[in-house]
Amino acid sequence: MMYIVFIMSVFYVVGFIGFSSKPSPVYGGMSLVVSGGLGCGIVMSSGGSFLGLVVFLVYLGGMMVVFGYTTAMATEEYPETWGSNVVVLSAFLVGLLMEIFMVMWLFSGEHELVGFYFSGLEGLMVLGEGGFEYVREDYSGGASLYSYGFWFLAMAGWMLFVSIFIAIEVTRKRY
Amino acid sequence: MPYIYINIILAFVISLIGTLIYRSHLISSLLCLEGMILSLFTLNALLSLNINFTLSTIVPLILLVFAACEAAVGLALLIIISNTYGLDYVQNLNLLQC
């Protein structure tokens, strides 16, 4: 189970290398969506189903959609992919090689991967016996934003309100 | 589990390098900024869930709210640049008026 999560985190890093090697922003946004989905899977494997939902709804469904529309506005006629430009391809391959070397270095140590995981914090969890454990602790943590974290809520709401005025004022025409 | 933390911190460093190195588009750097925030969110969520400290689940939510505001302001600036110069190439950014 932890092996699957580790492989998901490796593909997470590969997705990050994919948009960090700067292809055309359309393909970068696609790579960020894939990484966001894998990050949601990693968070959900630790029992955070609410936070995974927040990633999909707010981050991918809100912010990435806005990014996609803006990219469609400010894009070029022939977008370059990872294979059409040697600079992008070499940056992607360098990052991929770095990740492969890191994984090989992690696996070459004297401790075994499986033994390391099962001697971690999972022995302290008394609920369930492995697999996906939907412990509802992130729902109550998210709900405590409205009770204990009222000042956080007030500041975040005020900031969202002010940022609308900032965006309107910044995009006002000046001639 | 620490191996997963290493991968997520590595993803943050990769997108940080991507933010600091410009190629042709300005929106690619904003996209790498979004990647930094996604990796910070994942790291915060994993840490809050694995330490079983329920109250610190607020931190990834607040981080996401701040990231939305920052993305909005960054995209507004990108819109102005795109209106003035037609594209968002970083080689066009020039305030010289002669």
Side-chain angles (χ1 to χ4, degrees):
Chain A
M1 175 52 201
M2 276 299 168
Y3 202 61
I4 296 175
V5 179
F6 178 70
I7 290 179
M8 265 201 294
S9 73
V10 168
F11 283 125
Y12 183 80
V13 174
V14 170
F16 266 65
I17 295 170
F19 72 77
S20 182
S21 57
K22 307 284 185 64
S24 181
V26 178
Y27 298 107
M30 184 187 78
S31 179
L32 187 59
V33 166
V34 166
S35 281
L38 287 169
C40 166
I42 296 171
V43 165
M44 277 183 61
S45 76
S46 297
S49 48
F50 176 64
L51 288 171
L53 183 69
V54 162
V55 165
F56 260 109
L57 272 182
V58 173
Y59 191 81
L60 295 184
M63 291 158 64
M64 278 305 119
V65 164
V66 171
F67 247 94
Y69 286 146
T70 312
T71 308
M73 256 185 52
T75 187
E76 61 222 357
E77 194 175 335
Y78 296 107
E80 53 185 17
T81 72
W82 293 281
S84 71
N85 192 359
V86 73
V87 176
V88 177
L89 183 66
S90 62
F92 184 74
L93 285 179
V94 162
L96 198 63
L97 271 175
M98 182 264 311
E99 174 67 16
I100 289 173
F101 280 149
M102 198 210 71
V103 168
M104 279 170 47
W105 174 76
L106 280 178
F107 276 133
S108 74
E110 62 275 4
H111 48 263
E112 200 188 40
L113 187 71
V114 172
F116 195 94
Y117 281 144
F118 286 159
S119 68
L121 285 176
E122 281 84 10
L124 297 177
M125 290 184 75
V126 294
L127 301 163
E129 52 269 353
F132 285 102
E133 288 153 342
Y134 294 121
V135 182
R136 300 283 187 247
E137 58 186 17
D138 56 343
Y139 284 92
S140 62
S144 73
L145 178 66
Y146 296 91
S147 62
Y148 295 108
F150 176 72
W151 187 240
F152 284 117
L153 181 71
M155 281 298 107
W158 179 249
M159 237 186 56
L160 283 170
F161 181 65
V162 170
S163 72
I164 291 193
F165 286 104
I166 291 175
I168 288 176
E169 181 60 36
V170 160
T171 55
R172 187 193 298 262
K173 286 199 186 290
R174 303 193 169 279
Y175 48 80
Chain B
M1 180 49 81
Y3 296 158
I4 301 175
Y5 293 150
I6 289 176
N7 269 330
I8 296 175
I9 293 174
L10 193 65
F12 174 78
V13 170
I14 286 169
S15 49
L16 176 68
I17 292 175
T19 312
L20 298 175
I21 297 177
Y22 283 127
R23 273 195 68 229
S24 45
H25 277 278
L26 189 67
I27 196 175
S28 307
S29 294
L30 288 184
L31 206 67
C32 290
L33 201 63
E34 293 296 314
M36 280 165 68
I37 290 166
L38 176 68
S39 69
L40 282 176
F41 176 90
T42 312
L43 194 63
N44 264 321
L46 274 181
L47 281 174
S48 304
L49 289 168
N50 278 302
I51 297 177
N52 289 325
F53 182 32
T54 313
L55 207 58
S56 75
T57 321
I58 294 178
V59 174
L61 295 179
I62 296 293
L63 181 68
L64 218 57
V65 169
F66 285 6
C69 296
E70 166 198 341
V73 174
L75 285 175
L77 291 173
L78 190 87
I79 294 292
I80 297 182
I81 290 176
S82 179
N83 279 345
T84 313
Y85 294 107
L87 287 170
D88 60 336
Y89 284 163
V90 293
Q91 63 209 17
N92 288 340
L93 297 182
N94 193 3
L95 289 177
L96 205 58
Q97 293 184 4
C98 67

